[in-house]
Amino acid sequence: MVPIQMVDLKRQYNKIKPQVDAAIEEVLNSTAFINGSAVQQFSAELQTYLGVKHVIPCANGTDALQIAMMALGLEPGDEIITPSFTFIATAEVIALLRLKPVFVDIDPKTYCLDISAVEKAITSKTKAIVPVHLYGQVADMEPLMALAARHNLYVIEDNAQAIGADYTFADGSRKKAGTIGHIGCTSFFPSKNLGCYGDGGAIFTNDDEIAAKLRMVANHGQSARYYHDVVGCNSRLDSVQAAVLRIKLPLLDQYIEARRAVADAYDAGFADVPAIITPYRAENGYHVFHQYTLQLEGADRNKLQEFLASKGIPAMIYYPVPAHRQKMFADFGGAEFNLPVTDHLTHRVISLPIHTEMDQEQLDYIIQSVKTFLNTPA
Ligand SMILES: *Cc1c(COP(=O)(O)O)cnc(C)c1O
């Protein structure tokens, strides 16, 4: 059996090696390492794929979130509502900009923002909401946008884990995750659903004015060459990464289907296991399974993790400590937030390997191993 990894980038690369190598070589020969034609071409292609007016490439997903918040003219002390059950970057940039992270609980089924909890957390200082499409599931954007509109708030989607996911509105219309809020942010970290071969990120918006600000902030606050209007930063997607992404973007839908097939196999394999709650799939979102994260009931997930490791199967805890309980946020009153669903799930979730290259033999072996640990008959 091929050794099992959380993400098998090597086998994925081998399938597209000639195209990727040629594209990288083209950049090397052009020596246009920064802002080369691959960067503009990729941005235009991603715009088309997402059906969004502007794509602003940047250096990574964390920068994307930071630039988004810098572009909105927020002031120190402004409150930003966000889940605590997320990768730290979402909340970190809020604190970095001296804004106030206001952590709210999540829906126990979708693992995404609980809209009623968001509503309760809104104060006169609230300026923005940052939903996270965790594990590839799209947060419930339609009621969230309606709530934001009623309170005149910005919505910045953290779409680092859900690029390519669709969201269906009540009227049947559809939009891509990341293009529904005022701004969407994503990451091209290698293990993400659309990953490059280094660091990369992008910001999306349909708003011309916001787009102009995002571009300015990402480029030293520059309005014309060497004229700097606002304090910005330096955040770029380099040409080599854009060249790799141009090869992979046309494969994204195929990659998503491969991930969903893995999720289907796990779902079927665990359907009769009482100790396992398989991931919920919201009806209005097309889950792209960045992670396959289950909940264990009445079994020790750390012991399962150790057992699987002894069988050569990696499994991960995303994430072992929620943001509000990180030392980083002690000075922000992190521990004072009361987030029972977040705390509960933090102790129960475990993520199994999922990627585009998994085969039936690996899946059968993982499913059987989990069942053996839980003493479920085959
Ligand atoms: C990966 C990730 C980020 C940050 O992306 P980087 O490119 O690593 O900076 C932000 N938010 C979420 C939810 C992520 O998964």
Side-chain angles (χ1 to χ4, degrees):
M1 186 172 60
V2 179
I4 300 169
Q5 297 175 38
M6 283 304 285
V7 183
D8 193 337
L9 294 176
K10 179 81 178 178
R11 283 213 291 169
Q12 192 192 63
Y13 168 55
N14 283 342
K15 286 188 182 161
I16 52 173
K17 185 172 162 42
Q19 298 95 298
V20 168
D21 291 5
I24 292 177
E25 205 177 325
E26 202 180 308
V27 175
L28 298 184
N29 284 324
S30 77
T31 66
F33 300 117
I34 299 294
N35 257 324
S37 62
V39 178
Q40 280 96 54
Q41 284 166 327
F42 171 67
S43 299
E45 287 155 6
L46 186 58
Q47 251 161 247
T48 305
Y49 174 85
L50 293 171
V52 73
K53 211 162 163 197
H54 303 276
V55 166
I56 295 104
C58 66
N60 56 67
T62 308
D63 274 12
L65 289 160
Q66 182 184 327
I67 293 161
M69 288 179 211
M70 288 172 77
L72 293 177
L74 306 174
E75 289 177 13
D78 283 351
E79 294 178 2
I80 314 294
I81 294 174
T82 192
S84 171
F85 198 71
T86 179
F87 177 60
I88 197 65
T90 322
E92 184 183 31
V93 298
I94 297 172
L96 183 74
L97 296 172
R98 296 289 144 199
L99 305 166
K100 186 176 187 301
V102 174
F103 296 112
V104 305
D105 225 339
I106 47 170
D107 179 287
K109 286 202 290 196
T110 64
Y111 305 147
C112 295
L113 273 183
D114 172 345
I115 310 299
S116 64
V118 172
E119 184 156 21
K120 286 189 199 117
I122 294 173
T123 73
S124 58
K125 286 189 174 168
T126 308
K127 290 290 161 59
I129 305 167
V130 184
V132 180
H133 305 315
L134 200 71
Y135 306 146
Q137 175 118 270
V138 191
D140 200 3
M141 291 303 291
E142 188 163 17
L144 187 72
M145 293 308 293
L147 178 65
R150 284 202 296 281
H151 294 270
N152 206 13
L153 307 174
Y154 287 115
V155 173
I156 302 169
E157 298 174 72
D158 182 341
N159 195 35
Q161 300 191 1
I163 193 151
D166 285 315
Y167 180 83
T168 308
F169 292 81
D171 67 2
S173 64
R174 282 206 215 166
K175 279 187 186 171
K176 289 282 183 203
T179 70
I180 303 165
H182 302 91
I183 303 180
C185 299
T186 206
S187 163
F188 304 123
F189 186 81
S191 64
K192 299 280 155 94
N193 286 21
L194 178 61
C196 60
Y197 292 174
D199 273 308
I203 316 165
F204 327 128
T205 187
N206 284 307
D207 184 310
D208 297 342
E209 231 172 279
I210 291 176
K213 284 193 189 136
L214 291 167
R215 285 184 208 286
M216 199 191 281
V217 170
N219 185 25
H220 299 291
Q222 187 167 265
S223 56
R225 198 160 206 187
Y226 304 126
Y227 288 80
H228 306 274
D229 296 6
V230 295
V231 174
C233 58
N234 171 32
S235 189
R236 295 185 281 242
L237 178 73
D238 68 66
S239 308
V240 168
Q241 301 311 330
V244 172
L245 288 164
R246 287 196 71 208
I247 305 296
K248 291 184 71 174
L249 179 60
L251 301 170
L252 177 58
D253 286 343
Q254 211 172 297
Y255 287 161
I256 288 171
E257 291 316 311
R259 287 174 174 276
R260 283 176 59 92
V262 172
D264 290 345
Y266 280 142
D267 279 359
F270 299 138
D272 57 350
V273 183
I276 290 178
I277 299 176
T278 54
Y280 177 76
R281 302 185 193 197
E283 253 171 55
N284 52 9
Y286 193 75
H287 203 313
V288 295
F289 285 98
H290 176 59
Q291 299 298 346
Y292 186 86
T293 304
L294 45 82
Q295 292 178 54
L296 281 191
E297 213 155 41
D300 185 330
R301 60 107 187 257
N302 294 329
K303 291 219 172 82
L304 171 62
Q305 190 179 26
E306 279 167 32
F307 177 80
L308 292 176
S310 75
K311 300 244 161 207
I313 302 168
M316 295 288 285
I317 311 300
Y318 299 120
Y319 298 90
V321 182
H324 75 292
R325 295 196 180 278
Q326 298 284 355
K327 276 190 205 158
M328 179 194 273
F329 292 118
D331 291 344
F332 290 81
E336 284 150 40
F337 288 96
N338 180 29
L339 309 173
V341 178
T342 297
D343 286 333
H344 179 68
L345 288 174
T346 296
H347 293 106
R348 285 159 59 103
V349 292
I350 182 162
S351 302
L352 298 179
I354 190 164
H355 55 74
T356 58
E357 311 304 315
M358 289 184 76
D359 58 45
Q360 198 57 48
E361 191 187 8
Q362 293 176 316
L363 279 167
D364 291 343
Y365 176 70
I366 296 169
I367 291 166
Q368 201 40 60
S369 301
V370 171
K371 283 182 161 178
T372 302
F373 173 80
L374 295 169
N375 290 317
T376 315

